[in-house]
Amino acid sequence: TSTEGLSFEDATGDQLTDLLVRREADAEDPAAGPQRPSSLVVTWTGLRFRVEEEPDAPEFLFHLVTDADDAYRKGDLQTASELYLQAASDVSLRDWKQERGERPGRQELRPYSLFRAALAAQRGGDAAGALKLLERAFNEHRASSILGLAAGVYLTTLQNGDSAGTACVATESYLVNLSSFYSGVWDYGYANPAHEIDSLCR
């Protein structure tokens, strides 16, 4: 059953009824960036109530990338890799920056996703797979993307026999010189996660 944004259903698959509170996107403030509807799931554990936010499936490419980032941070490298690779080839999700008349966000989100998929492969022990993804990020995007070029810096450092840590430092040093442009690349409004240079390859 449901009423005015509230519904009661088994949202967690435990055969117990949960309360879902619908939260619609608020598009009235452009400075907030692309918005994403979600539901708050209120679950009774037997001892206390637990509240978790469940976002809708991504409508904007940026949100698919942030889903991949979340999985990566949690150590779920397989899910992160799958989502990054999906983002790297997606042509169906909306490009928020392009819709605002700005430089298309896809130009940086795609190489970023390949770069991060390479890092996930590297952390998972697949060094050869990581190199292939870095090569793809550089070769496919070096002409139009600072993140494609950053992937090239990381790749070249590895190919020179240096460690992943050294490659990361070299990549950060390259991007620091482009920090203003980099900030603009990741300006998706105050309601969305920030992406800092020092979090790109760590």
Side-chain angles (χ1 to χ4, degrees), residues 35-201:
Q35 300 297 290
R36 187 176 185 180
S38 63
S39 295
L40 289 178
V41 181
V42 183
T43 304
W44 174 246
T45 66
L47 297 173
R48 60 185 177 84
F49 285 104
R50 182 177 63 197
V51 180
E52 295 184 357
E53 184 170 12
E54 294 287 344
D56 285 9
E59 182 179 350
F60 292 95
L61 179 58
F62 175 77
H63 289 142
L64 177 59
V65 172
T66 60
D67 284 351
D69 287 338
D70 287 342
Y72 185 89
R73 277 192 296 269
K74 292 174 183 175
D76 186 351
L77 298 179
Q78 180 175 347
T79 298
S81 181
E82 290 172 357
L83 293 175
Y84 282 133
L85 292 176
Q86 181 183 344
S89 59
D90 177 82
V91 294
S92 62
L93 294 176
R94 295 168 63 188
D95 186 327
W96 182 73
K97 285 183 175 288
Q98 186 173 32
E99 290 181 7
R100 287 168 52 87
E102 301 178 18
R103 178 174 177 266
R106 235 177 212 93
Q107 288 183 221
E108 299 292 349
L109 293 175
R110 282 180 169 175
Y112 170 81
S113 296
L114 289 169
F115 193 163
R116 296 281 286 185
L119 296 179
Q122 190 177 58
R123 289 192 175 188
D126 183 6
L131 290 175
K132 287 180 180 178
L133 287 165
L134 289 167
E135 288 172 354
R136 183 179 162 196
F138 176 64
N139 291 333
E140 293 181 8
H141 300 283
R142 60 184 171 183
S144 60
S145 161
I146 62 167
L147 284 162
L149 293 172
V153 173
Y154 194 97
L155 172 64
T156 300
T157 309
L158 290 181
Q159 289 174 331
N160 288 338
D162 290 313
S163 67
T166 301
C168 187
V169 171
T171 304
E172 291 173 349
S173 297
Y174 165 74
L175 289 171
V176 163
N177 295 321
L178 300 165
S179 58
S180 179
F181 187 81
Y182 188 88
S183 295
V185 163
W186 290 111
D187 182 7
Y188 280 85
Y190 64 77
N192 286 294
H195 286 71
E196 305 296 341
I197 290 173
D198 61 6
S199 67
L200 173 62
C201 50

